[in-house]
Amino acid sequence: MRPARHLLAPAALAVLVAACAPEEAPTFGTAEVTVEAVAQVVSSPATVVARTYAATVEAAARADATAPVAAEVLRLDVADGAEVAEGDVVAVLGAEVLRVALRQAEAGATSARSALATAETALRQTADRTPFEYQVFETREQEREARLSAIEEDLLRGEAVTLAPSRQLLLIERQQLIAEREAQQALERGVADARAAVAQAEEALTRARADVAGLTLRAPLAGTVRIAEDLVAGGGRSLAVGSDVTPGQPIMTVTADAAFRVELAVPEVDLAPVAPGVAVAVDLAAFPGRALTGTVRRLDAAEARAAAGTTFVAEVALEATDLPLRAGLTGTATLPALAFDERFEVELEVDEIDAVLVAVGQPVAVEVDALRERPLTGTVVAVDVAPSRDATGATFFRTRVRLDVPAGEAPPLRGGLTGTADVEVERIEGALSVPTTALLRRGGGEVVYAVRGGVAVEVPIRVRAFGEARAAVEPLDGAALDAGERVVTDGVELVADGTVVDPA
């Protein structure tokens, strides 16, 4: 951050000058002007965030295979109590209305294809017989007009020309040309319409085939089958071949073999690595040190929305365990296969004054209080658009930092560890550089005092960037400041243009 430098009040300056007797002339500290890289950073509180997920034990997964439409049970491929794998065919239904619709869609697609073939043949035959080109039509039109104009000019010169027959012949020729063009355009429109009709028929056929395919029911998950009750016939009987079913009626229920499953609450910011097949480790509060293992079976499309964002639900199929699980137990889940830079990130609270300087892609140096000997680096990946407020009411902008993979052994990070981060918001290579203690604000601008011939010379400058100890500067108003010169640092508040400087 930019160091605070203030002007002394005139009375205070007079006291200081009076306090310096002539025989005790003040001495001043000086430092060399250099050319070097200057990096301006913004410091912010930092907190390590571990990618973990809230986990809850739930009863075994259950799912129904349901009838898509009103139908008749044509086939039951499994018996009550049978074991099935996910995707196994378990029943086939019959719905004559869907099969009739499929046959109609097939006939419609065949008819549309035939009509297209006929239209394309007609267009091709016309082109073979009398090729028509619009450019040729335009050329012949121009020639016709030229001939007509020539005839009229001959008539005006008094030559023996009969205009009426010639004009009539030219008009007939023009009508023939127009008729050819209109016929060509009509055939082209016919082909375009036929192609659109084929596309519509193909789409209808695809839908009809999907509807019929939906009559073949498959196991929604692996587990044990329970044939549903015949709700139409009643009497507590189970469905059988020949039973009638209504739209949405369960045909059978499949219960997963495992007695329990785990559901993870997945915030949208941590959704990327969660996918079916990903390994999961679950530490339950009731059984510390005895982690459950499993894999993500599915990620529900349904989500819960809250002020903090969107949360999705991932279902985890557990491997065998001897722990006495119960529905409702809670804990924390992690994804063991994640790399270091995917398991952890750092969250900054950037003060509103500095937030305008911070942007995605800027490098960050992080020092965790508990691991000062293991500094971390990373990159800004997101800056909140909306501000947040801390307990004191101060405004800050939450900023996410993706950590770089450290060389050698990864540090033992944990979520919640705190420290400080420096975001490099600007770096100027080869900058003219002075110590920040040499900067002084006077007359509405920044100045430094160069020591030349034993006296101070005021040099107006523009500060390009503030580093930790030095600032990148640029002389203004035609002033000069060169590398190798010395500028006043200690006691600069007491210096004016022309002050004799006796360096300490």
Side-chain angles (χ1 to χ4, degrees):
M1 294 300 296
R2 175 176 172 164
R5 302 304 298 267
H6 306 282
L7 291 175
L8 296 178
L13 180 59
V15 171
L16 283 170
V17 172
C20 298
E23 65 273 17
E24 296 179 359
T27 57
F28 302 95
T30 64
E32 185 179 358
V33 178
T34 62
V35 174
E36 59 185 81
V38 175
Q40 181 171 336
V41 301
V42 166
S43 296
S44 166
T47 303
V48 176
V49 178
R51 182 164 267 166
T52 60
Y53 306 90
T56 305
V57 176
E58 301 287 354
R62 302 176 63 187
D64 294 329
T66 59
V69 295
E72 176 188 357
V73 178
L74 298 182
R75 201 174 79 209
L76 289 174
D77 289 4
V78 293
D80 206 49
E83 295 287 330
V84 294
E86 184 174 351
D88 285 352
V89 175
V90 292
V92 175
L93 307 181
E96 187 59 25
V97 63
L98 295 186
R99 300 192 184 280
V100 169
L102 176 59
R103 288 193 292 271
Q104 291 174 342
E106 289 172 339
T110 299
S111 175
R113 295 189 201 104
S114 176
L116 174 59
T118 300
E120 289 176 335
T121 298
L123 179 61
R124 187 168 52 253
Q125 289 175 344
T126 301
D128 292 342
R129 187 169 57 251
T130 54
F132 185 88
E133 296 181 8
Y134 290 104
Q135 186 60 42
V136 172
F137 172 78
E138 296 296 336
T139 301
R140 292 170 68 183
E141 276 281 270
Q142 293 170 5
E143 292 174 352
R144 184 191 65 78
E145 292 293 340
R147 287 158 57 196
L148 184 60
S149 297
I151 292 172
E152 291 174 343
E153 290 175 0
D154 291 344
L155 181 63
L156 291 174
R157 286 196 301 269
E159 296 183 9
V161 176
T162 304
L163 178 63
S166 299
R167 183 188 295 275
Q168 186 65 28
L169 289 173
L170 290 174
L171 289 175
I172 292 172
E173 181 181 350
R174 184 173 188 277
Q175 290 171 352
Q176 290 174 338
L177 287 172
I178 293 173
E180 288 179 22
R181 181 178 64 179
E182 290 178 346
Q184 180 81 7
Q185 291 174 336
L187 290 172
E188 290 172 351
R189 286 195 301 271
V191 170
D193 291 344
R195 285 174 178 164
V198 167
Q200 292 177 352
E202 294 285 1
E203 184 179 349
L205 179 58
T206 298
R207 289 196 302 269
R209 285 172 174 168
D211 289 342
V212 170
L215 296 174
T216 298
L217 305 186
R218 297 180 179 275
L221 51 83
T224 305
V225 170
R226 168 101 183 183
I227 305 298
E229 181 181 347
D230 190 336
L231 300 179
V232 175
R237 292 175 295 181
S238 297
L239 287 170
V241 172
S243 296
D244 293 323
V245 293
T246 57
Q249 179 179 336
I251 305 302
M252 58 188 65
T253 299
V254 181
T255 302
D257 293 333
F260 297 95
R261 59 193 168 96
V262 167
E263 286 189 353
L264 309 183
V266 183
E268 58 181 322
V269 296
D270 294 322
L271 182 64
V274 181
V278 171
V280 179
V282 182
D283 289 303
L284 297 177
F287 305 106
R290 303 181 66 184
L292 299 173
T293 57
T295 55
V296 175
R297 195 181 75 81
R298 68 179 180 183
L299 187 65
D300 283 351
E303 72 275 356
R305 297 186 182 274
T310 304
T311 298
F312 295 81
V313 177
E315 182 181 305
V316 176
L318 294 175
E319 295 178 2
T321 178
D322 58 356
L323 294 178
L325 299 181
R326 291 187 180 185
L329 293 178
T330 60
T332 302
T334 57
L335 309 182
L338 289 185
F340 175 85
D341 58 338
E342 293 180 307
R343 290 204 314 273
F344 300 100
E345 68 177 27
V346 171
E347 188 175 276
L348 312 183
E349 296 181 359
V350 179
D351 187 271
E352 60 180 325
I353 296 175
D354 299 320
V356 294
L357 302 174
V358 176
V360 171
Q362 292 172 339
V364 183
V366 182
E367 184 179 84
V368 178
D369 292 340
L371 299 166
R372 291 185 182 277
E373 74 287 355
R374 303 289 299 276
L376 302 169
T377 59
T379 305
V380 174
V381 293
V383 180
D384 278 2
V385 175
S388 302
R389 296 186 184 277
D390 62 18
T392 66
T395 300
F396 66 90
F397 286 79
R398 206 176 303 278
T399 300
R400 295 172 57 197
V401 175
R402 176 174 294 128
L403 293 174
D404 298 328
V405 178
E409 184 180 357
L413 289 186
R414 292 191 179 191
L417 293 179
T418 59
T420 303
D422 290 332
V423 183
E424 186 178 293
V425 296
E426 185 171 11
R427 170 175 284 271
I428 301 177
E429 301 289 345
L432 196 64
S433 162
V434 300
T436 54
T437 53
L439 301 176
L440 189 65
R441 189 165 186 82
R442 278 193 177 162
E446 299 280 358
V447 300
V448 295
Y449 284 93
V451 180
R452 295 170 182 166
V455 298
V457 178
E458 183 176 286
V459 180
I461 52 96
R462 178 177 72 88
V463 179
R464 300 174 63 193
F466 286 96
E468 184 175 356
R470 301 186 69 85
V473 299
E474 177 184 18
L476 295 178
D477 304 329
L481 185 65
D482 298 320
E485 289 192 281
R486 300 193 72 80
V487 291
V488 179
T489 53
D490 299 339
V492 68
E493 294 90 349
L494 305 177
V495 175
D497 202 24
T499 298
V500 176
V501 176
D502 181 16

